[in-house]
Amino acid sequence: MLGKTAGGLFWMSRYLERAENTARLLETGQRMALTRTKNSAEEWGSVLKTAGVLDGYLAKYDEVDRDNAVDWLLRDVDNPSSVKSVIKQARHNARLVRTALTYDVWGAVNATWMKIDEATQRRVNQRDLPAVLELVRQQAALVRGATLGTMLRNDIFDFMRIGTFVERADSTGRILDVKYYVLLPTAFAVGSSLDNIQWESILRSVGAGGGYQLTYGQRTTPSDIAQFLILDQRMPRSLHFCCRKIQENLSYLKKDYGFAGPSCEASNTLYDKYLNRRIADIFDFGLHEYIQDFLNDLGGLSRQIEVDYRFYE
């Protein structure tokens, strides 16, 4: 496969995953802001930080407020990571690699762009926001269903899956990191009802509320939630699950091409370094430090994949 095609598949999938993750973050921001009795701007600042777009936002706006934060994350063309921007980029990449996609996948991606573009022609008010965010999640599920249901399990599928799980691992890591260091107003809130509400909101932001309750019941502790989102092998957005999928799909590419670039070994190193640990050891080391190191190495793995498969040729 040409590197340009592989890169188009990889980034199409990353952008689609990012759109869904950002929509989930926006939903979480709405819920968390309701737990604040005074300044909900702190919550929206944490959501912007989680999405990695706070600096860009502050370059355009003097202060953080709900309406501008929502617009920046959802539809602002000046934000390359807004939902509208990344879906547009996903469609652009899909069109570049259209011959590699099934009719159903291309149709789902194209329909996603048209529907989101129509829904975000103007600022979305608070009353209509839930419906727009639900539309984003539904369309992401439609593309995912078309991919899983119609694509051959070959190198095309592997590059798409690698892009999906690199982006998903990055998102889960960022959510955990910002929760631990930004969302709580003071150290005194740790273990309080506010702390529990915020941890539960984090579970919802990655679609993990139901799975967590099946596993742990009604008990919510930071240790259990971190265990679930980092080390649980069954949870499809945990760091463990994502890294395993990256490993698997890189190993399939190795078999297909008879070539194992440094990225294959780097994926094994990432797994061994970060996911063969107990959650108690992670907290002793420092959750923030652990997540930051993980995200740095994940970014390095992503760049190595691009080099190995010559995405830009």
Side-chain angles (χ1 to χ4, degrees):
M1 181 187 295
L2 292 175
K4 186 175 182 180
T5 301
L9 295 163
F10 176 86
W11 280 106
M12 178 196 77
S13 298
R14 284 201 69 166
Y15 286 134
L16 288 168
E17 181 70 23
R18 190 175 303 176
E20 180 180 0
N21 293 338
T22 301
R24 291 181 180 278
L25 274 176
L26 277 164
E27 289 179 324
T28 301
Q30 289 279 75
R31 294 192 190 99
M32 286 187 173
L34 295 175
T35 69
R36 290 289 199 201
T37 57
K38 295 182 179 180
N39 187 10
S40 65
E42 293 181 22
E43 297 298 348
W44 288 107
S46 73
V47 171
L48 291 166
K49 184 176 175 67
T50 303
V53 297
L54 179 59
D55 290 344
Y57 174 91
L58 293 175
K60 182 170 182 176
Y61 298 104
D62 294 331
E63 60 183 12
V64 176
D65 66 62
R66 178 207 167 276
D67 290 342
N68 287 335
V70 169
D71 196 63
W72 180 255
L73 287 164
L74 183 61
R75 61 179 288 277
D76 198 312
V77 295
D78 293 332
N79 174 14
S81 290
S82 71
V83 171
K84 188 169 187 174
S85 294
V86 297
I87 290 178
K88 183 177 182 179
Q89 284 298 314
R91 181 182 182 274
H92 172 71
N93 279 278
R95 186 163 55 182
L96 291 176
V97 299
R98 187 170 177 176
T99 58
L101 303 175
T102 62
Y103 176 83
D104 289 329
V105 173
W106 162 250
V109 175
N110 192 45
T112 296
W113 161 247
M114 291 189 292
K115 290 182 179 182
I116 300 305
D117 182 46
E118 180 181 4
T120 57
Q121 286 295 313
R122 54 184 57 86
R123 280 199 174 213
V124 178
N125 60 42
Q126 189 167 2
R127 181 194 63 190
D128 295 333
L129 182 61
V132 173
L133 297 179
E134 183 178 4
L135 175 65
V136 175
R137 290 189 287 102
Q138 287 176 343
Q139 290 301 126
L142 179 64
V143 176
R144 185 160 50 246
T147 300
L148 293 175
T150 67
M151 294 291 296
L152 290 175
R153 272 34 175 189
N154 56 10
D155 54 347
I156 294 171
F157 184 81
D158 292 330
F159 283 116
M160 293 172 68
R161 296 290 277 175
I162 292 168
T164 294
F165 287 108
V166 167
E167 186 68 32
R168 188 176 293 181
D170 181 83
S171 176
T172 298
R174 287 176 180 275
I175 287 170
L176 275 168
D177 189 42
V178 174
K179 162 64 184 85
Y180 202 66
Y181 275 82
V182 177
L183 293 182
L184 289 180
T186 69
F188 297 105
V190 176
S192 69
S193 59
L194 173 61
D195 186 43
N196 290 335
I197 290 170
Q198 301 234 29
W199 277 108
E200 290 168 6
S201 294
I202 293 305
L203 285 171
R204 293 192 190 100
S205 73
V206 294
Y212 180 88
Q213 288 188 1
L214 286 172
T215 304
Y216 294 97
Q218 297 300 315
R219 180 186 71 199
T220 55
T221 68
S223 178
D224 287 342
I225 292 173
Q227 167 78 29
F228 192 61
L229 295 184
I230 294 173
L231 299 176
D232 196 289
Q233 300 180 34
R234 304 158 299 170
M235 164 48 185
R237 293 182 180 273
S238 74
L239 301 187
H240 186 288
F241 190 97
C242 292
C243 287
R244 271 298 192 206
K245 291 300 180 182
I246 295 169
Q247 279 185 307
E248 287 177 7
N249 285 279
L250 283 171
S251 71
Y252 297 151
L253 290 175
K254 174 184 176 181
K255 183 178 180 180
D256 287 341
Y257 293 133
F259 162 77
S263 58
C264 196
E265 182 59 32
S267 70
N268 296 332
T269 300
L270 184 74
Y271 178 86
D272 292 338
K273 182 177 179 181
Y274 293 101
L275 299 166
N276 280 327
R277 301 193 190 189
R278 297 181 306 126
I279 199 64
D281 296 332
I282 292 173
F283 273 91
D284 287 343
F285 177 78
L287 183 60
H288 174 66
E289 292 76 12
Y290 170 88
I291 293 295
Q292 284 297 305
D293 289 349
F294 173 84
L295 291 175
N296 287 335
D297 287 353
L298 179 68
L301 171 60
S302 179
R303 291 188 292 273
Q304 188 60 58
I305 292 169
E306 296 188 46
V307 171
D308 285 355
Y309 294 98
R310 301 174 176 85
F311 279 9
Y312 299 107
E313 290 188 0

